[in-house]
Amino acid sequence: NAGVTQTPKFQVLKTGQSMTLQCAQDMNHEYMSWYRQDPGMGLRLIHYSVGAGITDQGEVPNGYNVSRSTTEDFPLRLLSAAPSQTSVYFCASSYSIFRPNTGELFFGEGSRLTVL
Amino acid sequence: GENVEQHPSTLSVQEGDSAVIKCTYSDSASNYFPWYKQELGKRPQLIIDIRSNVGEKKDQRIAVTLNKTAKHFSLHITETQPEDSAVYFCAARADYGGATNKLIFGTGTLLAVQP
């Protein structure tokens, strides 16, 4: 199993450009989520999904869109990048909490995004 | 919504000493409290978790305690080693009956173990 795969690992954008961060998991996880990590701010939840066709907003959703057309994929879209979106982005997945003794989030390797 | 506060933000200990990191949460519906370790340049990984029906859990040199009344939980690392140096995050998950595994994280503690 590859686990959680994110691409690209690094990206530089200019203000106003759009891009998509890709996330795929091969563990049959129902739950997927995106976090951003900034110095001193910890990991902040952007969007999450409990299954295909279902998405919801996290703590800091503004400026980001997501979709979940398949169980495996959960792309994060920046429609018009801003310098405030410079960050490290992590995709994470897990089994549904309805399964017994689950809860562990499995993280991807991260994507470092710089917006100039 | 849930808010998780974590202290201290940095912690320096001598090898062999103990380290304690503390977190508080705000949502009384929270019932799952994991701890993640993130080494420099790597992804966060789960090291231990505790559910609200227990007060303490141990795994070798690490332990977590939970005080639901005070809404506090703590990570204890004994006999620290240089490889324990990393950023540690606490998190909490509130259960409102849905399927979401929505973890809210603290701001992290940078632990440095001096040899």
Side-chain angles (χ1 to χ4, degrees), chain B residues 72-89:
Chain B
H72 288 173
F73 58 113
S74 300
L75 178 71
H76 305 253
I77 306 174
T78 59
E79 301 172 18
T80 53
Q81 301 168 2
E83 52 265 38
D84 294 329
S85 296
V87 177
Y88 291 81
F89 292 99

Side-chain angles (χ1 to χ4, degrees), chain A residues 20-100:
Chain A
T20 300
L21 296 175
Q22 301 290 346
C23 176
Q25 53 88 13
D26 61 359
M27 296 176 282
N28 267 339
H29 285 168
E30 294 91 352
Y31 181 81
M32 297 186 75
S33 56
W34 278 100
Y35 287 86
R36 60 177 288 176
Q37 183 174 23
D38 304 290
M41 307 285 286
L43 294 155
R44 292 183 292 169
L45 181 64
I46 304 171
H47 285 286
Y48 61 94
S49 168
V50 299
I54 305 169
T55 64
D56 207 344
Q57 296 182 347
E59 302 170 276
V60 288
N62 291 343
Y64 307 95
N65 279 354
V66 291
S67 59
R68 184 98 180 267
S69 56
T70 67
T71 301
E72 296 78 19
D73 300 298
F74 191 45
L76 178 72
R77 297 184 185 86
L78 285 70
L79 298 179
S80 179
S84 61
Q85 294 178 303
T86 294
S87 188
V88 178
Y89 291 86
F90 285 99
C91 180
S93 70
S94 76
Y95 288 114
S96 165
I97 64 168
F98 290 150
R99 300 197 194 203

Side-chain angles (χ1 to χ4, degrees), chain A residues 4 31 35 37 40-43 45 48 50 57-59 90 94-98 101-109, chain B residues 2 32 34 36 38 41-46 49 51 87 89 93 95 97-108:
Chain A
V4 181
Y31 181 81
Y35 287 86
Q37 183 174 23
M41 307 285 286
L43 294 155
L45 181 64
Y48 61 94
V50 299
Q57 296 182 347
E59 302 170 276
F90 285 99
S94 76
Y95 288 114
S96 165
I97 64 168
F98 290 150
N101 299 319
T102 57
E104 180 175 0
L105 271 183
F106 292 83
F107 284 82
E109 291 185 310
Chain B
E2 176 66 278
Y32 175 65
Y36 284 77
Q38 185 181 29
K42 300 288 182 65
R43 71 189 85 190
Q45 292 188 295
L46 178 72
D49 57 14
R51 298 177 194 273
V87 177
F89 292 99
R93 183 185 74 206
D95 183 4
T100 175
N101 191 17
K102 182 178 167 183
L103 292 186
I104 301 301
F105 285 85
T107 50

Side-chain angles (χ1 to χ4, degrees), chain B residues 24-37:
Chain B
T24 61
Y25 62 97
S26 62
D27 194 334
S28 57
S30 289
N31 61 3
Y32 175 65
F33 308 92
W35 287 86
Y36 284 77
K37 176 183 180 182

